[in-house]
Amino acid sequence: LTELNDHLGGIYTSMFYQILAPAKAGKTKLCSRICHTASVVYGTNVTVWAQEGGMDAWSAQQRAIHFDYLYNTGVDITEKKFGISQDVILKDKFPNDEMKQLELSSKIDLASNKNYGNVDYIDRPFEVETFIDYIDTSVKENGSQLVIIDYLQLIGTSTNKSERERIAEAYQKLLDYCKKANIAVLTPAQYKQEVLTALASSSDTSNVDMRASGGGSAESIRTPDYNIAMWASTQDLMNNIVKFLSMPCRMNAAFPEVKAHTDLSVCQFISDNN
């Protein structure tokens, strides 16, 4: 995604990044690709809290991405190996034994290659009162520089806090921890319904005001240093297209709408200019 890289300059420690999108529009897929790129391409240790889909689903997605990375990078399209996805791995529905053996080799490489960073998964109660403690333990034990939470708006509570209260508290606590621990934070988030309606009814999504689009609490928009908005209609998803929309915030100036082609089975996002 050349335009986003040019605009954001990469991902930096002590910064809180959020990706907003409708349900099933690719926000977790983009976070999964970033996790793989950080750990495999750059050797960065990562902490993942896969609250929405669970650790098994997230690790299966990492395996699908790695299969594509290992066998299809720099390969002519006639020689590429297709058909390995998160669903195929989770349900053991490999197209043939050869592909199953290739994926096994890819899985072993992902788990054992010393040049790759380590991904540590947190599987603990996801509650606003204690979640920072669990993250801090993982960061210190794993040496993580990037923390991915999928996703923060799902935060629970051990008391009687309302949804708005616990989401607001979670965002504030996570920002504070991000700065103090000098780690990068990345989390997907969902739009509130009014923004979904505006985007779905607009003939020019680049003109929709995204500055108050987060659901659950106003802190979901105010707190992150960077907010990145994604949009894809049902027809867009059928055509493997997603748009990245400008969302001005504390560290993020306005930028032109970015259109990208996707292969969500392996979490690929390729902008028109690539």
Side-chain angles (χ1 to χ4, degrees):
L1 291 166
T2 303
E3 294 93 339
L4 283 183
N5 284 337
D6 290 345
H7 178 68
L8 300 175
I11 294 177
Y12 293 87
T13 55
S14 82
M15 291 295 167
F16 186 159
Y17 299 83
Q18 179 170 248
I19 299 169
L20 291 104
K24 309 305 177 186
K27 57 187 180 295
T28 296
K29 300 288 188 179
L30 181 58
C31 290
S32 294
R33 172 58 74 166
I34 291 171
C35 177
H36 184 271
T37 299
S39 59
V40 171
V41 179
Y42 293 102
T44 301
N45 293 337
V46 181
T47 288
V48 172
W49 202 325
Q51 180 63 21
E52 183 178 41
M55 182 174 63
D56 290 345
W58 187 281
S59 58
Q61 186 65 81
Q62 290 297 294
R63 285 168 57 185
I65 295 170
H66 195 63
F67 181 94
D68 179 68
Y69 172 81
L70 206 61
Y71 296 116
N72 293 337
T73 301
V75 173
D76 188 89
I77 192 169
T78 59
E79 298 179 6
K80 287 191 174 184
K81 297 174 174 60
F82 298 104
I84 301 301
S85 67
Q86 180 189 51
D87 188 61
V88 165
I89 292 169
L90 283 172
K91 297 178 180 177
D92 195 18
K93 300 191 303 182
F94 293 91
N96 53 58
D97 190 61
E98 178 188 4
M99 293 289 276
K100 186 171 185 175
Q101 292 304 311
L102 286 172
E103 198 283 318
L104 177 60
S105 296
S106 173
K107 175 186 176 182
I108 292 171
D109 178 70
L110 181 61
S112 62
N113 194 313
K114 300 300 183 183
N115 293 319
Y116 302 159
N118 185 61
V119 178
D120 184 53
Y121 295 96
I122 301 175
D123 185 17
R124 303 290 291 177
F126 190 49
E127 296 173 342
V128 69
E129 292 81 11
T130 55
F131 82 111
I132 291 295
D133 294 333
Y134 295 133
I135 291 172
D136 187 52
T137 297
S138 173
V139 166
K140 288 177 178 176
E141 291 182 352
N142 193 53
S144 299
Q145 293 183 283
L146 171 63
V147 173
I148 301 174
I149 303 177
D150 187 17
Y151 57 96
L152 195 56
Q153 288 167 324
L154 293 175
I155 196 79
T157 179
S158 60
T159 63
N160 61 352
K161 292 183 176 76
S162 69
E163 179 187 37
R164 187 174 300 276
E165 287 173 333
R166 62 181 184 259
I167 290 174
E169 183 179 337
Y171 271 87
Q172 292 163 359
K173 283 184 172 180
L174 190 57
L175 179 68
D176 183 61
Y177 179 76
C178 169
K179 305 302 181 184
K180 288 180 178 177
N182 191 31
I183 50 97
V185 167
L186 173 67
T187 184
Q190 296 218 19
Y191 295 136
K192 59 186 179 184
Q193 187 58 49
E194 301 93 294
V195 175
L196 285 175
T197 302
L199 286 167
S201 61
S202 176
S203 60
D204 183 5
T205 52
S206 65
N207 283 329
V208 176
D209 193 337
M210 304 298 295
R211 288 173 290 182
S213 58
S217 166
E219 292 299 329
S220 65
I221 295 298
R222 283 200 296 253
T223 303
D225 296 297
Y226 291 90
N227 284 312
I228 303 166
M230 293 173 60
W231 169 251
S233 66
T234 301
Q235 189 61 49
D236 288 336
L237 292 173
M238 291 173 63
N239 293 328
N240 300 316
I241 291 171
V242 67
K243 298 173 184 176
F244 293 87
L245 310 180
S246 182
M247 195 168 181
C249 54
R250 182 165 58 251
M251 300 291 291
N252 195 18
F255 61 88
E257 182 177 281
V258 176
K259 181 178 177 182
H261 300 278
T262 67
D263 180 351
L264 295 183
S265 66
V266 292
C267 306
Q268 281 189 346
F269 295 81
I270 304 172
S271 56
D272 280 350
N273 290 341
N274 285 133

